[in-house]
Amino acid sequence: MTVGQKDTRAAKSARPRTILPRPAPAAQARPRPQPRGGRKSRRDALSGWAMVSPSVLLIGVFGLAPVVWSFVLSFQHNDLQTPGVWAGTANYRQLVHDPVFLAAVRQTLIYTALFVPITLLLSLLAAGALNRRVRGITGYRLAVFIPVVTSTIATGVIFSWLMDPDFGLINAGLRKVGLPTLGFFSAPNQALYSVVAMTVWGWVGFGTLILLAGLQGIPRDLIEAAQIDGCSKTGTFWRIQVPLLRPVLGFLLVWLTINALQLFDEVYATTKGGPLHATTVVVYYLYQQAFQYFHAGYAAAIAVALFVVIAVVTAIQLRLARDPVAGDRS
């Protein structure tokens, strides 16, 4: 090899090499979603509808159909025996001028205003008292819940005997201590409040059960942390536990209000709306118009009006009882 060839080869090796970038690997093709089997989806849908069809049928026949028929019936003069006559809005206009209906509305509102807060407060206190580990606590809880499973007729019979103005056990006790006796169900100015006392006794157990479940769902860490910070048991209950029960209290408020506005069984079992219409509430007046006076169209108008009121009141209560944190998230 000559000297010139060596110089040429050295010059070539001294040149900077250009490094070309590697080509990017080809993007992997995403797997195409497999089309759903149309026949299998239809089969699953038919199976689902077949399973729920009995419930849908029962709700439609015994729930939706009566509501629609009541709405149609409210625009008729109908006695449930002869074909109805179209009356337009006459039944609804009559509601405004019916003094007995207006008195029934007033008594229903008074009953609701007394029954709901008293039941809520007593249920909350009873739940707080039963939310502890002591000997025999199961027996105490059972005793509070027994009125819930007692039939309304049995409750009415028991309280009619207890509140009898002549031979009742309560008046016998009042005579023993030298206090004046009361008329209870037979006194127009006391009958509605006697119904309130009876129904509160029957519903406190239900409210206690619901609130007790809510209390037992509160983490113990929060309660122990509050007690470590020096908060008493009473303060922990009212400042920690009760605010955390807001969703449960909201549910109970709505449920009790709906049942209060639909009061019927207790009145039917004790006073029959008397004395002097003192305990005639809206649903009992509806029953009288439909099945005693055979004014089915007018009774249907009362039912529709009550349905609208309950729907509006429930919507307002649900709005007010909504958890603010959950409301912000939504």
Side-chain angles (χ1 to χ4, degrees):
M1 184 181 295
T2 62
V3 177
Q5 290 178 346
K6 291 182 179 180
D7 295 340
T8 304
R9 185 173 295 180
K12 289 182 178 180
S13 61
R15 292 177 183 176
R17 296 180 180 180
T18 304
I19 301 176
L20 299 176
R22 293 183 179 181
Q28 297 180 355
R30 296 182 180 179
R32 296 181 180 179
Q34 297 294 331
R36 295 182 179 179
R39 184 176 301 175
K40 184 177 181 181
S41 299
R42 286 193 296 269
R43 191 186 307 120
D44 293 342
L46 289 176
S47 300
W49 279 108
M51 291 180 182
V52 301
S53 58
S55 299
V56 173
L57 181 63
L58 290 175
I59 293 173
V61 172
F62 297 103
L64 184 60
V67 171
V68 175
W69 173 240
S70 298
F71 182 74
V72 174
L73 194 64
S74 67
F75 295 98
Q76 299 178 3
H77 291 309
N78 196 314
D79 59 1
L80 299 178
Q81 298 176 353
T82 58
V85 178
W86 188 259
T89 59
N91 291 323
Y92 293 97
R93 293 196 303 269
Q94 184 180 350
L95 291 176
V96 184
H97 305 287
D98 187 350
V100 180
F101 173 74
L102 297 178
V105 171
R106 182 177 65 253
Q107 283 148 193
T108 302
L109 294 177
I110 293 174
Y111 170 83
T112 304
L114 294 174
F115 167 77
V116 174
I118 293 175
T119 305
L120 273 177
L121 180 59
L122 293 181
S123 300
L124 187 60
L125 295 177
L130 295 175
N131 187 32
R132 58 184 64 188
R133 297 177 182 177
V134 296
R135 180 176 297 179
I137 192 63
T138 303
Y140 296 130
R141 293 173 180 173
L142 180 62
V144 172
F145 189 70
I146 282 177
V148 180
V149 297
T150 305
S151 67
T152 305
I153 300 300
T155 301
V157 171
I158 292 172
F159 273 83
S160 296
W161 174 68
L162 290 174
M163 295 182 173
D164 187 274
D166 299 321
F167 308 104
L169 188 62
I170 297 178
N171 275 342
L174 293 176
R175 294 190 194 98
K176 286 290 185 180
V177 296
L179 295 176
T181 59
L182 301 174
F184 295 115
F185 293 129
S186 60
N189 60 340
Q190 300 174 17
L192 185 62
Y193 305 106
S194 301
V195 173
V196 172
M198 179 181 64
T199 52
V200 166
W201 178 83
W203 276 91
V204 163
F206 175 80
T208 301
L209 180 68
I210 300 297
L211 292 172
L212 183 59
L215 286 174
Q216 292 181 349
I218 297 175
R220 293 290 304 175
D221 298 343
L222 297 176
I223 301 174
E224 293 174 357
Q227 293 176 351
I228 291 174
D229 289 340
C231 190
S232 63
K233 291 184 177 180
T234 303
T236 302
F237 178 73
W238 290 108
R239 297 177 184 177
I240 305 297
Q241 293 176 291
V242 172
L244 292 175
L245 287 176
R246 180 171 179 172
V248 181
L249 290 170
F251 161 77
L252 202 56
L253 174 66
V254 172
W255 187 262
L256 292 176
T257 303
I258 292 174
N259 282 274
L261 295 174
Q262 294 179 337
L263 175 68
F264 172 77
D265 296 349
E266 291 82 356
V267 172
Y268 182 82
T270 53
T271 63
K272 298 293 191 298
L276 302 176
H277 296 291
T279 58
T280 299
V281 290
V282 172
V283 177
Y284 188 80
Y285 187 58
L286 185 158
Y287 162 79
Q288 286 183 318
Q289 291 293 325
F291 302 108
Q292 292 183 1
Y293 309 140
F294 295 101
H295 300 158
Y298 187 55
I302 297 175
V304 172
L306 180 62
F307 172 79
V308 172
V309 170
I310 290 177
V312 172
V313 171
T314 301
I316 294 173
Q317 288 180 337
L318 289 175
R319 181 70 177 178
L320 295 176
R322 179 182 300 176
D323 190 351
V325 177
D328 294 340
R329 291 177 181 175
S330 62

